[in-house]
Amino acid sequence: MEDDRQALFILRHHRRFPSASHALVEQIGKRILIFTSATREPMDDRLVFFHGREDSSFSAMTTTPVFTNLTLVRHPLVQHKITLLRDRRTPTKIFKELVDEIAMLMAYEATSELSLDPVTVQTPLEQATGFQVSGKKLTLVPILRAGLGMVEGILRLVPSARVGHIGLYRDHDTLEPVDYYFKVPGDAAERDFFVLDPMLATGGSAVSAVSSLKRAGGVRIRFLCLVAAPEGVRRLGNAHPDVQVYAGALDRELNSQGYILPGLGDAGDRLFGTR
Ligand code: PRP
Ligand code: URA
């Protein structure tokens, strides 16, 4: 167990560790390994590995995968808005607005480790020392089509970011990605990239997009999605262990057509009203 937050959520979903477990986790930190090595009882299989909130009604998994390449954004607003996205009754207009808003909230988390340089500014009263985001230029790279829905929200937070594009679609039969477009700024090695796609399902599209970006010289790359499947997080982690995934939800599994369950359906179709 390498992530204290994951440990916390596991404990909080375990009947024998009520909310007092928060203090416990904070106190013992990574030594929570003691717990995970406890004798496994049938009740342990009720551990819930995903969920931003304890009142979730999604069914529990029998195992608790640990993904060191995954950061779940558990902010209540993100969880609330993702639940609205999942609702089949949410119309295209609202769906688009929600994707935009969630992307902005997730970018707040994904940019939290950008480095700062001190700068001096003159206030109306005196000179003050402040900070500005240093050197590396942020570049957003939506995977077409559905990734486009995440761009504007992040640009509202970082208006100076550049925008590249990667065109990919999933072959309906093989589920493997077919690429048709690639354009990113020339000085790729100097940049921080956020690859954007609402859905990380089999992971084929994400692996292909990141591979293309690396071939173009990209080095510092993060992947932002709204809903991820364990299969996709694992596949991206195996292919590109240096790429951290930021997701609003880690769902249960894929169905036989490669759709995420419970998921939200076809993100591109729901965003653009093509269904
Ligand atoms: C969806 C989604 C991802 C991909 C994820 O796009 O937006 O790009 O599927 O699936 P994967 O992880 O199994 O590769 P889709 O291929 O449907 O294209 P679209 O955005 O043009 O609809
Ligand atoms: N692409 C989508 O849009 N939705 C899924 O559930 C899987 C892939």
Side-chain angles (χ1 to χ4, degrees), residues 122-199:
Q122 190 72 40
T123 77
L125 300 173
E126 61 176 40
Q127 190 164 291
T129 302
F131 300 94
Q132 67 181 16
V133 175
S134 63
K136 313 294 177 283
K137 293 165 271 184
L138 185 63
T139 303
L140 311 181
V141 187
I143 298 179
L144 307 179
R145 291 177 296 169
L148 287 173
M150 299 173 70
V151 173
E152 290 302 320
I154 303 179
L155 281 179
R156 278 205 295 285
L157 276 189
V158 194
S160 61
R162 301 285 176 82
V163 182
H165 294 89
I166 295 180
L168 288 175
Y169 69 88
R170 251 184 7 165
D171 181 277
H172 281 293
D173 298 322
T174 66
L175 298 185
E176 286 305 313
V178 180
D179 59 307
Y180 59 88
Y181 189 75
F182 183 86
K183 185 82 177 175
V184 297
D187 52 351
E190 311 301 318
R191 295 182 167 274
D192 283 302
F193 287 99
F194 283 4
V195 178
L196 312 176
D197 194 323
M199 310 305 279

Side-chain angles (χ1 to χ4, degrees), residues 49-195:
F49 82 93
F50 140 77
H51 302 326
R53 298 184 63 92
E54 291 180 62
D55 57 0
S56 168
S57 58
F58 299 138
S59 56
M61 280 193 63
T62 52
T63 58
T64 306
V66 175
F67 295 116
T68 54
N69 62 328
L70 176 66
T71 301
L72 275 179
V73 180
R74 295 187 168 99
H75 193 286
L77 288 176
V78 171
Q79 299 308 315
H80 178 94
K81 290 171 190 291
I82 284 182
T83 305
L84 294 175
L85 274 189
R86 293 186 191 279
D87 191 333
R88 61 186 301 169
R89 296 167 303 180
T90 299
T92 298
K93 177 177 179 294
I94 307 294
F95 192 93
K96 198 181 292 177
E97 290 169 4
L98 288 166
V99 169
D100 175 271
E101 291 166 4
I102 297 167
M104 183 171 69
L105 292 167
M106 292 190 54
Y108 182 75
E109 175 85 18
T111 51
S112 66
E113 285 167 20
L114 292 184
S115 51
L116 294 171
D117 289 331
V119 288
T120 303
V121 292
Q122 190 72 40
T123 77
L125 300 173
E126 61 176 40
Q127 190 164 291
T129 302
F131 300 94
Q132 67 181 16
V133 175
S134 63
K136 313 294 177 283
K137 293 165 271 184
L138 185 63
T139 303
L140 311 181
V141 187
I143 298 179
L144 307 179
R145 291 177 296 169
L148 287 173
M150 299 173 70
V151 173
E152 290 302 320
I154 303 179
L155 281 179
R156 278 205 295 285
L157 276 189
V158 194
S160 61
R162 301 285 176 82
V163 182
H165 294 89
I166 295 180
L168 288 175
Y169 69 88
R170 251 184 7 165
D171 181 277
H172 281 293
D173 298 322
T174 66
L175 298 185
E176 286 305 313
V178 180
D179 59 307
Y180 59 88
Y181 189 75
F182 183 86
K183 185 82 177 175
V184 297
D187 52 351
E190 311 301 318
R191 295 182 167 274
D192 283 302
F193 287 99
F194 283 4
V195 178

Side-chain angles (χ1 to χ4, degrees), residues 146 170 197-202 205 227 253-255 257-269:
R170 251 184 7 165
D197 194 323
M199 310 305 279
L200 176 59
T202 66
S205 304
V227 179
E253 61 186 346
L254 297 177
N255 71 10
Q257 281 89 46
Y259 279 89
I260 299 175
L261 297 176
L264 48 76
D266 188 305
D269 282 343

Side-chain angles (χ1 to χ4, degrees), residues 11 20-21 27 34 72 94 104 111 137 200-201 231 236-237 245:
L11 283 176
S21 59
Q27 195 188 331
I34 294 163
L72 275 179
I94 307 294
M104 183 171 69
T111 51
K137 293 165 271 184
L200 176 59
E231 293 88 336
L236 185 55
V245 177

